[in-house]
Amino acid sequence: MSLSVLTQAQILPQIGARSIGLGSTGLTQNDVYAMQNNPGAFGAMDKSQVAINYQNRFLISELSNQTLAFGYHTKSKGNFGLSVQHYGFNLYREMQTGFTYATQLARRFYGGIAVNWHHIAIGENYGNKNFATASLGILYYFNDNISFGFNAKNVARARLADYQDERYPTTFGLGISYSFTKDLYWNFEAEKSIIHPLNLKSGIEYQLHEMFIVRIGANSYPFQSSFGFGVKLKRFQFDMASLWNATLGLSPSMGLKFDL
């Protein structure tokens, strides 16, 4: 039985409430969520971490997305990561399981690869599809204030159906981060899929207190603004954020990250 998916996949390209609050940017962030946001940045993660995240898209429970991520840091053999994402309900459901490996390639330069296994099912009578994709990423620290990230998702252009040669989305992202001070930094990214217009994304994060962080952001396609905050408590970090679409409304997100 064949499956034709006539809409863009709904597993989020960026995961984590911190990324959402920063306008869905994340190519230079080196935490556990980097295993999907940018495998190259995952190589710069300096401690093992586990995280969970939940997003309710447009306040519709059937469009919720849940993520569980675990990253294991080693001093000399790179970082290893496992992630699981789930989206949807009984009429349309996506699940993605990913394995990521990343390491330092040279001074200030990191690289990584993520291999993901996807399962997509539509209703009870329209079949399902299982397939694999691969993503590549790099992170480069130009100096203590400026870093660059690049990510290519689904580089082999996995096929969903023979009908109209339907394929899973392939996207490319390039980003820069600039730290004005140790408490204030700015992200800017350009994201392009093969079939959609260029999406420009930007976000600012400011640490008001050693325990409290605020974030704002926006992206151009489709135009959405975002805002969020984070709270640090020793080895825990709790983040909340929301995207705002003028037509469809709010998409709140929350997550908890723990340093092992």
Side-chain angles (χ1 to χ4, degrees), residues 133-180:
T133 63
S135 300
L136 305 172
I138 58 174
L139 174 68
Y140 175 64
Y141 289 107
F142 180 75
N143 55 35
D144 292 340
N145 297 322
I146 301 174
S147 57
F148 297 92
F150 171 79
N151 189 25
K153 296 187 177 233
N154 187 26
V155 291
R157 300 198 64 209
R159 180 174 298 185
L160 289 174
D162 293 331
Y163 177 71
Q164 295 185 340
D165 193 29
E166 187 174 11
R167 296 177 183 269
Y168 196 73
T170 296
T171 60
F172 303 90
L174 179 65
I176 181 174
S177 290
Y178 181 77
S179 297
F180 297 94

Side-chain angles (χ1 to χ4, degrees), residues 191-220:
E191 181 182 81
K192 181 69 174 71
S193 74
I194 290 179
I195 62 173
H196 289 97
L198 181 69
N199 184 17
L200 300 178
K201 306 186 289 185
S202 184
I204 295 175
E205 178 176 278
Y206 181 56
Q207 187 161 345
L208 292 170
H209 184 270
E210 62 180 9
M211 293 176 54
F212 191 73
I213 305 161
V214 294
R215 307 177 181 106
I216 59 171
N219 50 267
S220 65

Side-chain angles (χ1 to χ4, degrees), residues 87-114:
Y87 168 85
F89 63 116
N90 61 320
L91 296 181
Y92 180 87
R93 190 181 308 276
E94 289 188 47
M95 294 190 69
Q96 175 181 302
T97 303
F99 171 78
T100 304
Y101 174 73
T103 190
Q104 185 170 5
L105 302 176
R107 184 174 179 267
R108 297 180 178 270
F109 188 76
Y110 299 83
I113 180 171

Side-chain angles (χ1 to χ4, degrees), residues 13 18 24 47-48 55 62 71 80 86 100 136 154 163 196 215 222 260:
R18 182 188 183 195
S24 297
K47 58 177 71 72
S48 297
Q55 185 180 37
E62 289 82 1
F80 301 84
H86 174 269
T100 304
L136 305 172
N154 187 26
Y163 177 71
H196 289 97
R215 307 177 181 106
L260 300 176

Side-chain angles (χ1 to χ4, degrees), residues 12 14-21 33 37 53 67 239 241 253-255:
L12 298 178
Q14 267 74 37
I15 59 175
R18 182 188 183 195
S19 174
I20 298 300
Y33 293 119
N37 295 341
N53 197 85
T67 302
D239 296 298
S253 178
M254 66 181 66

